[in-house]
mmCIF file of all heavy atoms in Angstrom:
data_model
loop_
_atom_site.group_PDB
_atom_site.id
_atom_site.type_symbol
_atom_site.label_atom_id
_atom_site.label_comp_id
_atom_site.label_asym_id
_atom_site.label_seq_id
_atom_site.Cartn_x
_atom_site.Cartn_y
_atom_site.Cartn_z
ATOM 1 N N VAL A 1323 108.674 105.572 79.986
ATOM 2 C CA VAL A 1323 109.553 106.601 79.448
ATOM 3 C C VAL A 1323 109.011 107.949 79.893
ATOM 4 O O VAL A 1323 109.739 108.875 80.331
ATOM 5 C CB VAL A 1323 109.778 106.403 78.059
ATOM 6 C CG1 VAL A 1323 110.604 107.638 77.449
ATOM 7 C CG2 VAL A 1323 110.519 105.137 77.704
ATOM 8 N N ARG A 1324 107.766 108.127 79.641
ATOM 9 C CA ARG A 1324 107.080 109.494 79.915
ATOM 10 C C ARG A 1324 107.148 109.797 81.396
ATOM 11 O O ARG A 1324 107.431 110.928 81.636
ATOM 12 C CB ARG A 1324 105.655 109.456 79.398
ATOM 13 C CG ARG A 1324 104.970 110.753 79.490
ATOM 14 C CD ARG A 1324 103.636 110.683 78.924
ATOM 15 N NE ARG A 1324 103.605 110.297 77.457
ATOM 16 C CZ ARG A 1324 103.164 109.146 76.963
ATOM 17 N NH1 ARG A 1324 102.629 108.313 77.811
ATOM 18 N NH2 ARG A 1324 103.259 108.956 75.727
ATOM 19 N N ARG A 1325 107.027 108.827 82.327
ATOM 20 C CA ARG A 1325 107.130 109.112 83.652
ATOM 21 C C ARG A 1325 108.502 109.541 84.050
ATOM 22 O O ARG A 1325 108.749 110.489 84.866
ATOM 23 C CB ARG A 1325 106.845 107.867 84.468
ATOM 24 C CG ARG A 1325 105.327 107.513 84.557
ATOM 25 C CD ARG A 1325 105.022 106.356 85.494
ATOM 26 N NE ARG A 1325 103.627 106.114 85.519
ATOM 27 C CZ ARG A 1325 102.923 105.097 84.913
ATOM 28 N NH1 ARG A 1325 103.677 104.423 84.059
ATOM 29 N NH2 ARG A 1325 101.700 104.979 85.081
ATOM 30 N N ARG A 1326 109.574 109.000 83.392
ATOM 31 C CA ARG A 1326 110.968 109.444 83.770
ATOM 32 C C ARG A 1326 111.145 110.889 83.315
ATOM 33 O O ARG A 1326 111.772 111.723 83.965
ATOM 34 C CB ARG A 1326 111.909 108.601 83.022
ATOM 35 C CG ARG A 1326 112.078 107.228 83.672
ATOM 36 C CD ARG A 1326 113.408 106.498 83.233
ATOM 37 N NE ARG A 1326 113.377 106.172 81.845
ATOM 38 C CZ ARG A 1326 112.942 105.035 81.311
ATOM 39 N NH1 ARG A 1326 112.483 104.174 82.147
ATOM 40 N NH2 ARG A 1326 112.984 104.826 80.025
ATOM 41 N N ARG A 1327 110.495 111.299 82.210
ATOM 42 C CA ARG A 1327 110.592 112.676 81.631
ATOM 43 C C ARG A 1327 109.841 113.607 82.686
ATOM 44 O O ARG A 1327 110.296 114.721 82.909
ATOM 45 C CB ARG A 1327 110.074 112.759 80.322
ATOM 46 C CG ARG A 1327 110.875 112.165 79.227
ATOM 47 C CD ARG A 1327 110.568 112.907 77.833
ATOM 48 N NE ARG A 1327 109.189 112.941 77.683
ATOM 49 C CZ ARG A 1327 108.477 112.144 76.867
ATOM 50 N NH1 ARG A 1327 109.108 111.011 76.391
ATOM 51 N NH2 ARG A 1327 107.209 112.247 76.617
ATOM 52 N N TRP A 1328 108.725 113.183 83.171
ATOM 53 C CA TRP A 1328 107.947 114.048 84.036
ATOM 54 C C TRP A 1328 108.564 114.241 85.483
ATOM 55 O O TRP A 1328 108.369 115.241 85.993
ATOM 56 C CB TRP A 1328 106.572 113.424 84.242
ATOM 57 C CG TRP A 1328 105.625 113.668 83.018
ATOM 58 C CD1 TRP A 1328 105.892 113.674 81.768
ATOM 59 C CD2 TRP A 1328 104.251 113.799 83.166
ATOM 60 N NE1 TRP A 1328 104.789 113.824 81.001
ATOM 61 C CE2 TRP A 1328 103.701 114.057 81.902
ATOM 62 C CE3 TRP A 1328 103.286 113.917 84.185
ATOM 63 C CZ2 TRP A 1328 102.366 114.190 81.518
ATOM 64 C CZ3 TRP A 1328 101.999 114.172 83.967
ATOM 65 C CH2 TRP A 1328 101.513 114.294 82.659
ATOM 66 N N ARG A 1329 109.450 113.394 85.780
ATOM 67 C CA ARG A 1329 110.193 113.526 87.037
ATOM 68 C C ARG A 1329 111.149 114.827 86.937
ATOM 69 O O ARG A 1329 111.398 115.404 87.967
ATOM 70 C CB ARG A 1329 110.975 112.292 87.393
ATOM 71 C CG ARG A 1329 110.164 111.112 87.802
ATOM 72 C CD ARG A 1329 111.072 109.959 88.054
ATOM 73 N NE ARG A 1329 110.387 108.714 88.323
ATOM 74 C CZ ARG A 1329 110.038 108.459 89.605
ATOM 75 N NH1 ARG A 1329 110.280 109.348 90.570
ATOM 76 N NH2 ARG A 1329 109.333 107.334 89.915
ATOM 77 N N SER A 1330 111.637 114.964 85.816
ATOM 78 C CA SER A 1330 112.728 115.996 85.658
ATOM 79 C C SER A 1330 112.173 117.392 85.749
ATOM 80 O O SER A 1330 112.921 118.351 86.245
ATOM 81 C CB SER A 1330 113.462 115.775 84.385
ATOM 82 O OG SER A 1330 112.626 115.988 83.336
ATOM 83 N N ALA A 1331 110.925 117.625 85.324
ATOM 84 C CA ALA A 1331 110.438 118.970 85.298
ATOM 85 C C ALA A 1331 108.916 118.975 85.286
ATOM 86 O O ALA A 1331 108.324 118.159 84.616
ATOM 87 C CB ALA A 1331 110.958 119.809 84.019
ATOM 88 N N LEU A 1332 108.350 119.958 85.978
ATOM 89 C CA LEU A 1332 106.819 120.102 85.999
ATOM 90 C C LEU A 1332 106.457 121.296 85.152
ATOM 91 O O LEU A 1332 106.776 122.419 85.577
ATOM 92 C CB LEU A 1332 106.379 120.230 87.428
ATOM 93 C CG LEU A 1332 104.857 120.290 87.595
ATOM 94 C CD1 LEU A 1332 104.217 118.879 87.324
ATOM 95 C CD2 LEU A 1332 104.490 120.713 89.056
ATOM 96 N N PRO A 1333 105.919 121.050 83.976
ATOM 97 C CA PRO A 1333 105.777 122.218 83.118
ATOM 98 C C PRO A 1333 104.688 123.133 83.657
ATOM 99 O O PRO A 1333 103.756 122.774 84.349
ATOM 100 C CB PRO A 1333 105.131 121.547 81.802
ATOM 101 C CG PRO A 1333 104.610 120.277 82.243
ATOM 102 C CD PRO A 1333 105.477 119.812 83.406
ATOM 103 N N GLY A 1334 104.838 124.315 83.233
ATOM 104 C CA GLY A 1334 103.897 125.435 83.741
ATOM 105 C C GLY A 1334 102.573 125.399 82.972
ATOM 106 O O GLY A 1334 102.603 124.926 81.788
ATOM 107 N N ARG A 1335 101.553 125.890 83.576
ATOM 108 C CA ARG A 1335 100.244 125.855 82.906
ATOM 109 C C ARG A 1335 100.327 127.004 81.860
ATOM 110 O O ARG A 1335 100.791 128.122 82.110
ATOM 111 C CB ARG A 1335 99.158 126.146 83.894
ATOM 112 C CG ARG A 1335 97.763 126.532 83.387
ATOM 113 C CD ARG A 1335 96.788 126.878 84.421
ATOM 114 N NE ARG A 1335 97.205 127.746 85.466
ATOM 115 C CZ ARG A 1335 97.158 129.098 85.337
ATOM 116 N NH1 ARG A 1335 96.706 129.612 84.179
ATOM 117 N NH2 ARG A 1335 97.604 129.897 86.367
ATOM 118 N N PRO A 1336 99.634 126.755 80.639
ATOM 119 C CA PRO A 1336 99.575 127.800 79.705
ATOM 120 C C PRO A 1336 98.696 129.025 80.203
ATOM 121 O O PRO A 1336 97.801 128.759 81.010
ATOM 122 C CB PRO A 1336 98.978 127.182 78.506
ATOM 123 C CG PRO A 1336 98.284 126.065 79.055
ATOM 124 C CD PRO A 1336 99.034 125.494 80.232
ATOM 125 N N PRO A 1337 99.148 130.206 79.962
ATOM 126 C CA PRO A 1337 98.316 131.331 80.442
ATOM 127 C C PRO A 1337 96.902 131.430 79.898
ATOM 128 O O PRO A 1337 96.625 131.048 78.720
ATOM 129 C CB PRO A 1337 99.160 132.604 80.058
ATOM 130 C CG PRO A 1337 99.902 132.171 78.770
ATOM 131 C CD PRO A 1337 100.208 130.618 79.010
ATOM 132 N N VAL A 1338 95.944 131.887 80.719
ATOM 133 C CA VAL A 1338 94.643 132.139 80.266
ATOM 134 C C VAL A 1338 94.166 133.382 80.820
ATOM 135 O O VAL A 1338 94.622 133.865 81.838
ATOM 136 C CB VAL A 1338 93.672 130.900 80.798
ATOM 137 C CG1 VAL A 1338 93.974 129.677 80.098
ATOM 138 C CG2 VAL A 1338 93.675 130.908 82.281
#
Side-chain angles (χ1 to χ4, degrees):
V1323 173
R1324 188 175 298 111
R1325 286 189 177 94
R1326 285 199 296 269
R1327 288 205 311 266
W1328 281 35
R1329 287 177 183 277
S1330 61
L1332 187 67
R1335 168 180 52 83
V1338 294

